[in-house]
Amino acid sequence: QVQLVESGGKLVQAGGSLRLSCAASGRTFRPYAMGWFRQAPGKEREFVASISWSGYSTYYADSGKGRFTISRDNAKRTMYLQMNSLKPEDTAVYYCAVDFRSLGATPEGDEYDYWGQGTQVTVSS
């Protein structure tokens, strides 16, 4: 079993920056891709960004392109999401996930095997 714990979510003013972290533990028994998703109040979960096992391939939703950067440190089993120029519409619970079925990045939530509990990001205007 794999456990994922997100951290770093907080209240921030529009235009500010925030870095989220996702720490993995347990039986990460083979290489895996990772991704970030978010869910705003009254909306469905949406893809934010994903990264391959090697870290060389990344994929971003249009909403975060140019503002968000996904990265990972496999030695620490930790993934990061750097968010700059935050907007009120970025307000959501952010979830990290791992995909043992593929080494590559994917935006498909159904492909992911394990999910964290989420961390709240609130951007005030």
Side-chain angles (χ1 to χ4, degrees), residues 82-93:
Q82 178 67 45
M83 302 186 292
N84 299 325
S85 301
L86 285 164
K87 306 173 181 179
E89 50 262 45
D90 294 319
T91 295
V93 176

Side-chain angles (χ1 to χ4, degrees), residues 8-114:
K10 62 182 294 184
L11 172 65
V12 63
Q13 293 185 12
S17 298
L18 204 58
R19 189 177 82 154
L20 305 182
S21 298
C22 173
S25 61
R27 297 184 64 234
T28 53
F29 55 90
R30 60 182 177 180
Y32 52 92
M34 301 186 75
W36 287 99
F37 295 78
R38 69 186 185 186
Q39 187 167 25
K43 299 182 64 177
E44 295 183 349
R45 182 186 65 193
E46 66 175 347
F47 168 76
V48 177
S50 59
I51 187 168
S52 65
W53 166 253
S54 68
Y56 286 105
S57 297
T58 58
Y59 189 54
Y60 296 91
D62 289 340
S63 60
K65 288 182 179 178
R67 300 188 299 122
F68 295 177
T69 302
I70 188 171
S71 62
R72 67 190 295 170
D73 184 338
N74 288 341
K76 298 180 179 179
R77 296 201 293 178
T78 302
M79 175 179 64
Y80 307 94
L81 182 68
Q82 178 67 45
M83 302 186 292
N84 299 325
S85 301
L86 285 164
K87 306 173 181 179
E89 50 262 45
D90 294 319
T91 295
V93 176
Y94 284 71
Y95 300 91
C96 69
V98 301
D99 177 13
F100 283 109
R101 309 179 210 184
S102 177
L103 299 179
T106 177
E108 299 296 332
D110 290 344
E111 294 293 325
Y112 289 83
D113 301 289
Y114 296 94

